[in-house]
Amino acid sequence: VFNKGTMEDILSSDDNKTWVMVSSAYPFLGSFDGQGHTISGAYLKLGSSGVQGLFGSLGKNAEIKNLNVINTVVSGPTEKDKNTLGTLASKISGDDANVTISNVTVHSTVKEAGYKTTWVGGIVGIISDAGTLTMKNCNFYGSVTTSGRSAGGILGAALNTKATVNILNCENHGAITANCDAGGLIGTSAVKILNVESSENLGTVKAPTCQGDLFGYQ
C-alpha cells in the first residue's frame, strides 16, 4: 500500500507518495510474477520523460503475470504533447519484443491534467514497434480520459503495420473517453495481425470521432 484511500482521495491529495517507474530509461526484459499479490494506492505523476506507468517500457521476452493493481492513479501534467500513459506499462519497445501480460486486474484512474496526452491505456499505453504483445486474462476497472488522440481500456494504441497484438479473454469495465478515438479494448489499431478472442467491453466509451465497444479506430 503506497497511499491509503480511494482513487478520488489520491487525486485530491497534495501529500501523495509517488511511484518511481521501473525501467524508465531502458525496457524491462525480465519476468515479474506478482503471485496473486496486490499493489494499492500507487500514484504515478507524469514528469518530463513522456512516458508513465508502473513499468516505463517492456521489451524482448518481458512477462508480467498474476498481479492486482487497485486504487491507483496515473496522471499528468507535462509540457510535451506526445506522451503515453498506461497503468501497468507505458509502452512496448523494440521490433524484437515478445511481451506477455497475463492474469492481471487493474482498477485505476488514468487521466491527464490539462495537456493533450496522445496515447492512453487502462493497462498498457502503446505498442509502436514491430513486436508482439499478448494480453491474456486481463481486466480493467476505473476510467481512462484524455483530450489527446486515443484511449482504450486494455491498450491505448497499436501503431505498427508489422506488429502482432493478441487480446485473449480480456474485459474492460471502465469508462473510456478520448478527444479522437476511444475503444473498450483498443483505442487505435493499425497492425499486421490483430487476434481478439473471448473478450468484451462492459464499460462506457465516448469520443467525438471514432468510438466502439471494442475498437475506436481500426
Side-chain angles (χ1 to χ4, degrees):
V1 177
F2 286 88
N3 296 283
K4 295 182 179 180
T6 65
M7 292 181 288
E8 290 74 18
D9 294 332
I10 295 172
L11 274 170
S12 63
S13 175
D14 294 325
D15 192 33
N16 294 311
K17 296 179 177 66
T18 57
W19 174 281
V20 178
M21 281 186 294
V22 178
S23 297
S24 58
Y26 301 97
F28 177 75
L29 306 178
S31 177
F32 182 89
D33 186 350
Q35 298 182 343
H37 293 293
T38 297
I39 294 173
S40 177
Y43 178 58
L44 294 75
K45 185 175 181 180
L46 187 64
S48 60
S49 67
V51 299
Q52 186 59 273
L54 294 175
F55 290 80
S57 62
L58 304 175
K60 186 177 181 179
N61 297 328
E63 179 183 33
I64 299 178
K65 60 185 179 180
N66 307 325
L67 179 66
N68 302 306
V69 181
I70 67 171
N71 289 344
T72 290
V73 172
V74 187
S75 179
T78 179
E79 294 181 356
K80 296 183 178 181
D81 63 357
K82 292 184 179 179
N83 304 299
T84 304
L85 305 180
T87 306
L88 196 65
S90 174
K91 62 181 180 178
I92 309 302
S93 297
D95 291 342
D96 60 349
N98 186 15
V99 175
T100 302
I101 299 172
S102 61
N103 303 322
V104 169
T105 295
V106 173
H107 189 176
S108 70
T109 295
V110 186
K111 183 180 182 180
E112 65 175 86
Y115 291 90
K116 293 185 178 181
T117 303
T118 306
W119 318 111
V120 181
I123 299 179
V124 175
I126 191 172
I127 173 171
S128 57
D129 295 326
T132 297
L133 170 63
T134 299
M135 301 181 72
K136 183 178 181 180
N137 300 326
C138 294
N139 300 285
F140 177 75
Y141 300 80
S143 63
V144 180
T145 306
T146 179
S147 60
R149 176 62 190 265
S150 177
I154 304 300
L155 173 63
L159 294 177
N160 192 298
T161 55
K162 296 181 179 180
T164 296
V165 174
N166 302 302
I167 306 291
L168 312 174
N169 196 33
C170 294
E171 294 181 357
N172 171 60
H173 298 258
I176 313 301
T177 306
N179 189 49
C180 189
D181 305 333
L185 298 183
I186 305 175
T188 304
S189 175
V191 295
K192 180 179 181 180
I193 298 174
L194 175 61
N195 177 35
V196 178
E197 298 178 10
S198 303
S199 299
E200 62 181 330
N201 171 55
L202 299 170
T204 60
V205 180
K206 183 185 295 185
T209 305
C210 297
Q211 68 178 45
D213 279 347
L214 301 182
F215 317 108
Y217 174 87
Q218 185 175 359

